[in-house]
Amino acid sequence: MNIKKKYNPIKQLVMNKKLYLPLLLAVLVAFVGCKKMGGLSADYFTVTPSPLEVVGGKVAATITGKFPEKYFKKKVTVTVTPYLVYEGGETAAASYTYQGEKVKGNNQTISYKLGGNITMKASFDYIPQMRKSDLYLAFKVQKGSKSYDLPRVKVAEGVLATAEISNAATVKPALAADKFQRIINESRKADILFLIQQANIRANQLSTDQMKEFHNEVANAASAANKELKGINISSYASPDGGVELNTKLAENREKNTVKYMNEQLKKGNIETDMTAEFTAQDWEGFKELVEKSNIQDKDLILRVLSMYSDPEQREKEIKNMSSTFKVLADEILPQLRYSRITASIDIIGKSDAEISKLAASDPKSLTLDELLYAGTLTDSKDDKIAIYKKAAEIYPNDYRAYNNVGMAYYQKQNVAEAENWFKKAAKIDPKAPEVQMNLGLISLAKNDYNKAAQEFGNAAGIDELKEATGVLYLKKGEYQKAVKAFGDTKSNNAAIAQILTKDYNKAKNTLSSINNGKDATTLYLLAVVGARTNNEKMVKENLQKAISLDNQMKAFAAADIEFAKYDISSLTK
């Protein structure tokens, strides 16, 4: 007998749930598990410094952030890469990888339920395009063999690059100086010897070769176009034997007679010049000097007496007590101390600037090395300097100075390769020359070899230009306080940059305002930066306008400079 079971829909539904519920849950879990992680907001991240800044040729940032609660899937890894994005390209920094709770690995684990805090360090080698740039974070999610990218997050914008305005090319290289002197003073001397206790001038003293030569030199100095007789001095002496009163009278009379003689000679030669005269009653200093140079047997004893007694009479008494010794003194030493010395001061006048410049171009071999080196300082043309210094190196190949100065002129023309070539030639001749060492340091600085530059600058102690060079080195290394100290009171754009970067804006303004010969568009631009940092809009716009009028390239530079981000300078940079 067939008994039909009555269909119960409620019971059937219960039975179906028991059958399909696990399956539905499994499908739901699978669906949820496959859902991609969503993008993150910039609010979850902070960047220090903000804005970013170039320090020592690097743009460095510390990025702190947070993965929110119930966000980070348990079976995924997320790789975060900072990118600095700029017109025409982007640069990546080192990546950081984070993992979910069920991933086996050595990366920082992020809790799904609680989320997690992260810290990343990013560093980029600076290039000029980065001045106008944005810092992004890129996220790559990996689960098993599958991966996908989350939308990038912009966390910072702009890079302060004021430090990069510093320029080693503007540092003045060290000149190896000439020793040229247009006027060289020379002395011509002649002595008149007197007999003991006498002041009259003997005829034989006026006919000596020394006296004849003296008068010829005086006459020549009075008449020659390239000489000038500056004056004549007469110093008369008495030997220290005899009393002070007697010696005073003797020395004074010797002076009078010698002055009278010289006046007669000058009048005879129709020579006009100033004359001065003085006398010394007892020439103990001369006595001591002659004894020291002599071979007298008891000279140590005599010198000891001189040191023991300061009173002239006591000295004379003690020396005369040494009877045998005193006889030698009377014969060999004392006669030399009874004299008048006539000294003519003569200026030798060298070639004029015009003469030297003309000869440097037409007949360089007729000039001395120092005259040629001096000729190089008489022109502002770098090409003319190079030609003069090269000729000096050719004519005088064994002196490093000419080679150094050729390199200096090339460096000022911003031809670093040729400058280095000539500095190395100078170093072969004199590797320890401080000018050469400093200039080689500038080459190393231009090549960003800061360690070598520091070593070479250290070998250039005493060079005036070294302060500026060392200051720029510290700027390039990002050591701004050291840069300020190195610059000292230097008035230059580079020195002002160091002061801006250490936030000494008043000093930076004073430095820039004090620049005279070297004031240029960069000087005015830096004054605008000082204005921006001190909230002086008028100072910003006035100096930017002047800078752009001197150098039109400043338009684009200012438009991309985050220093002026809060000012409307569009009318200046169109």
Side-chain angles (χ1 to χ4, degrees):
M1 182 174 78
N2 292 328
I3 302 175
K4 291 183 178 180
K5 293 184 180 179
K6 188 176 179 180
Y7 176 72
N8 187 332
I10 295 175
K11 185 176 179 181
Q12 189 64 38
L13 181 60
V14 171
M15 290 179 65
N16 288 344
K17 281 185 176 181
K18 288 181 179 180
L19 177 64
Y20 293 111
L21 187 58
L23 180 60
L24 289 172
L25 289 173
V27 171
L28 182 62
V29 168
F31 175 77
V32 172
C34 289
K35 185 178 179 181
K36 292 183 177 180
M37 295 167 64
L40 292 168
S41 166
D43 295 336
Y44 286 112
F45 301 94
T46 302
V47 178
T48 303
S50 183
L52 300 175
E53 186 171 3
V54 185
V55 178
K58 303 280 187 182
V59 179
T62 300
I63 306 160
T64 56
K66 180 180 180 180
F67 289 111
E69 299 172 357
K70 297 183 179 179
Y71 173 80
F72 205 104
K73 305 301 182 183
K74 296 182 179 181
K75 293 184 179 181
V76 303
T77 59
V78 177
T79 299
V80 185
T81 305
Y83 280 89
L84 206 52
V85 181
Y86 42 85
E87 185 176 356
E90 62 182 23
T91 301
S95 299
Y96 288 76
T97 300
Y98 305 95
Q99 63 189 40
E101 294 171 270
K102 292 189 177 181
V103 175
K104 293 181 180 180
N106 297 319
N107 301 303
Q108 180 181 342
T109 299
I110 306 297
S111 167
Y112 170 74
K113 183 177 181 180
L114 300 177
N117 296 320
I118 60 172
T119 298
M120 295 176 288
K121 300 281 188 181
S123 181
F124 307 90
D125 291 332
Y126 175 76
I127 57 174
Q129 295 93 316
M130 291 177 179
R131 293 176 66 247
K132 193 171 185 179
S133 59
D134 297 313
L135 180 61
Y136 281 89
L137 298 180
F139 300 85
K140 179 174 285 296
V141 182
Q142 184 84 31
K143 182 180 180 183
S145 61
K146 296 181 179 181
S147 65
Y148 57 91
D149 294 324
L150 299 179
R152 289 187 177 189
V153 178
K154 187 170 87 169
V155 293
E157 60 182 26
V159 174
L160 281 174
T162 302
E164 291 300 304
I165 299 176
S166 64
N167 188 359
T170 63
V171 177
K172 185 180 179 182
L175 171 76
D178 61 86
K179 298 175 183 178
F180 172 72
Q181 288 180 273
R182 188 181 313 285
I183 299 175
I184 300 174
N185 183 264
E186 296 182 351
S187 295
R188 296 290 184 266
K189 299 178 181 180
D191 289 344
I192 296 175
L193 296 177
F194 297 89
L195 295 177
I196 186 170
Q197 297 185 4
Q198 291 187 22
N200 59 299
I201 300 177
R202 293 171 293 163
N204 67 343
Q205 292 299 302
L206 304 179
S207 58
T208 62
D209 291 340
Q210 184 190 52
M211 186 63 73
K212 290 177 183 178
E213 185 179 350
F214 173 82
H215 285 302
N216 287 336
E217 290 284 354
V218 169
N220 179 260
S223 60
N226 68 329
K227 293 183 181 181
E228 182 180 355
L229 180 61
K230 301 298 292 183
I232 292 176
N233 174 261
I234 294 173
S235 298
S236 299
Y237 300 86
S239 60
D241 56 318
V244 174
E245 184 177 349
L246 173 62
N247 286 336
T248 300
K249 186 175 181 180
L250 273 173
E252 185 176 11
N253 287 334
R254 287 168 181 170
E255 176 200 296
K256 289 179 180 179
N257 291 338
T258 308
V259 168
K260 180 182 177 182
Y261 164 73
M262 276 309 303
N263 278 328
E264 291 172 351
Q265 295 302 306
L266 293 173
K267 185 177 181 180
K268 187 186 296 183
N270 198 25
I271 299 170
E272 293 186 4
T273 190
D274 294 331
M275 188 183 301
T276 57
E278 68 273 338
F279 64 87
T280 301
Q282 291 187 312
D283 189 10
W284 285 109
E285 288 301 317
F287 178 80
K288 179 182 177 182
E289 182 180 347
L290 290 175
V291 170
E292 286 176 334
K293 293 178 179 179
S294 73
N295 295 319
I296 296 174
Q297 185 175 356
D298 293 327
K299 76 175 183 178
D300 291 339
L301 179 58
I302 298 169
L303 294 172
R304 192 156 55 246
V305 168
L306 294 178
S307 64
M308 289 174 60
Y309 302 100
S310 58
D311 179 68
E313 293 185 358
Q314 186 67 36
R315 280 179 169 180
E316 184 181 356
K317 178 181 176 182
E318 293 296 331
I319 291 173
K320 284 184 174 180
N321 285 338
M322 297 181 280
S323 57
S324 60
T325 300
F326 185 77
K327 186 178 185 312
V328 177
L329 292 172
D331 292 340
E332 298 181 11
I333 302 295
L334 296 176
Q336 300 181 63
L337 299 174
R338 303 167 187 138
Y339 68 102
S340 285
R341 174 160 292 165
I342 311 170
T343 304
S345 176
I346 300 171
D347 281 349
I348 311 298
I349 303 170
K351 300 178 184 70
S352 68
D353 288 357
E355 289 174 320
I356 289 175
S357 294
K358 183 178 179 180
L359 289 170
S362 63
D363 188 14
K365 289 185 178 180
S366 68
L367 297 176
T368 66
L369 172 60
D370 286 302
E371 287 173 330
L372 273 172
L373 294 177
Y374 177 69
T377 69
L378 299 177
T379 175
D380 293 328
S381 167
K382 304 298 186 298
D383 290 332
D384 288 347
K385 287 179 184 289
I386 289 170
I388 292 169
Y389 292 138
K390 279 185 174 180
K391 185 59 68 174
E394 177 187 327
I395 299 170
Y396 302 99
N398 297 321
D399 194 302
Y400 77 93
R401 292 178 295 169
Y403 298 92
N404 177 84
N405 293 356
V406 175
M408 177 201 71
Y410 273 121
Y411 187 88
Q412 291 176 324
K413 289 189 69 175
Q414 298 188 18
N415 189 337
V416 175
E418 196 64 29
E420 181 180 15
N421 177 42
W422 283 90
F423 292 149
K424 286 183 176 179
K425 288 181 180 180
K428 285 183 179 179
I429 298 171
D430 189 350
K432 294 183 179 180
E435 304 95 336
V436 177
Q437 285 296 306
M438 194 207 114
N439 292 336
L440 287 172
L442 288 178
I443 299 299
S444 297
L445 188 57
K447 293 179 176 181
N448 298 324
D449 190 343
Y450 300 146
N451 290 334
K452 189 175 182 181
Q455 179 182 352
E456 287 161 336
F457 289 159
N459 295 332
I463 297 297
D464 291 340
E465 296 85 355
L466 191 59
K467 290 196 297 185
E468 174 95 359
T470 306
V472 173
L473 172 62
Y474 284 129
L475 274 178
K476 294 298 185 182
K477 293 174 68 176
E479 299 176 13
Y480 302 145
Q481 291 291 351
K482 288 183 178 180
V484 168
K485 185 176 180 181
F487 282 119
D489 59 356
T490 301
K491 306 299 181 187
S492 70
N493 293 335
N494 290 324
I497 291 169
Q499 291 153 6
I500 290 171
L501 297 175
T502 53
K503 298 180 171 55
D504 194 345
Y505 303 127
N506 284 334
K507 190 170 184 181
K509 181 181 178 181
N510 290 335
T511 295
L512 293 166
S513 299
S514 299
I515 295 174
N516 294 320
N517 296 335
K519 188 173 287 187
D520 55 16
T522 301
T523 309
L524 297 164
Y525 190 91
L526 291 171
L527 279 168
V529 171
V530 172
R533 293 200 176 198
T534 55
N535 300 310
N536 189 330
E537 185 172 1
K538 181 181 179 182
M539 188 175 173
V540 171
K541 293 186 175 180
E542 284 184 354
N543 285 287
L544 269 184
Q545 187 174 30
K546 292 176 183 177
I548 291 168
S549 69
L550 290 177
D551 183 355
N552 198 54
Q553 293 183 3
M554 289 293 183
K555 280 186 178 181
F557 199 83
D561 197 339
I562 198 172
E563 291 278 12
F564 308 118
K566 66 179 181 180
Y567 298 99
D568 181 8
I569 59 171
S570 56
S571 62
L572 301 174
T573 58
K574 286 180 182 178

